[in-house]
Amino acid sequence: MQTLIAALGSAALITLPAMAQSQTETAQAIFDQFAAGYPALNATVMVNGEIVFEAEGGTMRSDHDGVDTDYNVYSTAKMFTGLAFARLEAHQGLDLDQSVRNIDPALPDPYQDVTLRQLLSHTAGVRGYTGDTDWIAFNDLRCELPSDALGHFINDPLIHAPGARHEYTTYGFVLLSHLLVELTGSDSFDAAMEQTLGDAYLAHKDSLNADKATPYFDAGEGLEPMPLSAECKFGGGGLIASSRDLAAMGSALVEGQLLSAEEIDAAFQPIQTTGGDAVSYVYGMEAGFEPSLNLHYAAHSGGSPGGRSFVMAYVEPQVVVATTGNADGDNHYPLALALADLFAGYAR
């Protein structure tokens, strides 16, 4: 678990309070350290499918910033997009190693050698953002369907041979969103996710007028509210959800509602690039197994101007932590890790 659980350098941001306090008091003290850096920050912890801790904090909260309020979750959406494909593979026999042009023959010729598995692990060679101008231009687009967003990047050259190396890209997951709509024959991305994940899907596509927490952006003179829509990112980062809903979605995974224990074990195995590197980013999430704890884990973060989120899921103890905030800032990994360890009973 080198990339997450054992990588405690960033977790130094958390100072654990005296454990003589109750578990809830300890969790609240951990949360409060982070909340001071956000206009609004929410956290939900679920154990065995039940909420055991929730917290609300921040320096600029409004009546619209509760734990049941939707926030931009950005790239945390990739985790649940990946799980949709994992379910299609496990339950409907979807071949993740087929060419994506088998699903949409209209894709450009270079995509003949790109597979669904490569897209899910960021090894397909689809480019990422080239800079702020590219990010802004993509956020300024308005999309009803993932196909509306493809023209922004689909004709650009692949940045490396498919399968050669791991290069993180939101655009690869926009393409996966389109392919999911095609595979399910749905009339929207939300409908495709609902068809695949069932009642476990509790997020929604963002839009310019979505009912959500106000995004804040720091342009160098302090936080200011800003209108922002990530609607063209779809399953790559264009969803909104509350911390409570994110935790419930993660709980559906650890409780076995989405994949069986055997299917989780198979899905959480690293893949190899053609260059020989092991990639632990599989099925749209950082996932793996820690033998010393007999623990399968999955996690993903999301962050961009206007929001930050995180989901940490411990499978065997069935502990899930979800966080949402309405401004970018420190990665929530140390917060989520500390809360997950606290409620799982792990001492590190």
Side-chain angles (χ1 to χ4, degrees):
M1 205 177 296
Q2 295 298 315
T3 54
L4 278 178
I5 307 304
L8 293 179
S10 58
L13 294 170
I14 290 291
T15 302
L16 291 177
M19 294 306 290
Q21 300 178 74
S22 72
Q23 198 173 47
T24 299
E25 289 173 327
T26 302
Q28 188 67 53
I30 292 170
F31 174 83
D32 289 344
Q33 293 181 59
F34 254 75
Y38 286 84
L41 181 70
N42 297 333
T44 301
V45 181
M46 296 184 71
V47 178
N48 296 323
E50 300 293 333
I51 295 174
V52 297
F53 176 76
E54 284 192 302
E56 304 178 23
T59 59
M60 303 166 65
R61 294 188 71 86
S62 71
D63 293 337
H64 199 55
D65 294 323
V67 290
D68 57 352
T69 300
D70 286 338
Y71 286 67
N72 283 104
V73 303
Y74 291 111
S75 288
T76 300
K78 293 180 173 71
M79 179 175 181
F80 302 104
T81 306
L83 286 171
F85 280 92
R87 271 185 64 84
L88 288 175
E89 179 189 36
H91 295 191
Q92 297 186 28
L94 177 64
D95 179 8
L96 295 184
D97 295 310
Q98 66 177 301
S99 168
V100 295
R101 294 186 78 220
N102 290 349
I103 303 167
D104 183 358
L107 292 173
D109 290 347
Y111 283 84
Q112 181 61 41
D113 296 326
V114 170
T115 69
L116 294 168
R117 193 179 308 278
Q118 290 165 351
L119 289 172
L120 288 164
S121 59
H122 296 284
T123 60
V126 179
R127 75 171 178 89
Y129 298 123
T130 58
D132 290 346
T133 300
D134 184 39
W135 185 92
I136 292 170
F138 193 60
N139 276 264
D140 284 345
L141 295 178
R142 296 291 165 257
C143 304
E144 289 296 322
L145 290 168
S147 57
D148 299 331
L150 296 184
H152 185 79
F153 65 89
I154 201 69
N155 291 308
D156 295 336
L158 298 177
I159 60 175
H160 60 72
R165 64 178 189 266
H166 175 84
E167 292 281 352
Y168 190 87
T169 165
T170 288
Y171 293 139
F173 272 75
V174 175
L175 176 54
L176 280 167
S177 302
H178 165 64
L179 296 170
L180 185 66
V181 170
E182 293 291 301
L183 284 165
T184 59
S186 302
D187 59 3
S188 71
F189 179 72
D190 280 338
M193 291 290 281
E194 290 167 358
Q195 180 175 329
T196 310
L197 298 180
D199 293 340
Y201 180 63
L202 300 173
H204 307 280
K205 175 185 175 295
D206 191 17
S207 65
L208 190 61
N209 298 312
D211 183 14
K212 62 182 181 181
T214 301
Y216 279 83
F217 175 70
D218 188 351
E221 299 180 359
L223 291 172
E224 297 289 341
M226 61 178 291
L228 184 146
S229 169
E231 64 185 69
C232 292
K233 297 180 184 179
F234 296 91
L239 301 182
I240 58 175
S242 67
S243 64
R244 186 175 292 170
D245 286 341
L246 285 179
M249 291 169 70
S251 190
L253 170 65
V254 303
E255 291 181 75
Q257 296 177 31
L258 299 180
L259 299 171
S260 69
E262 293 78 13
E263 290 162 352
I264 286 174
D265 185 62
F268 284 18
Q269 299 299 315
I271 66 169
Q272 299 286 324
T273 67
T274 56
D277 295 327
V279 176
S280 60
Y281 191 109
V282 293
Y283 293 90
M285 56 193 170
E286 190 76 39
F289 177 70
E290 176 50 55
S292 66
L293 298 174
N294 191 31
L295 170 69
H296 289 86
Y297 68 93
H300 211 296
S301 66
S304 205
R308 171 67 66 174
S309 71
F310 202 100
V311 171
M312 176 77 78
Y314 286 179
V315 176
E316 283 72 18
Q318 295 191 8
V319 175
V320 178
V321 178
T323 63
T324 53
N326 61 344
D328 202 3
D330 289 336
N331 193 318
H332 292 191
Y333 160 59
L335 170 62
L337 175 65
L339 291 175
D341 280 356
L342 175 67
F343 285 95
Y346 296 147
R348 300 183 190 279

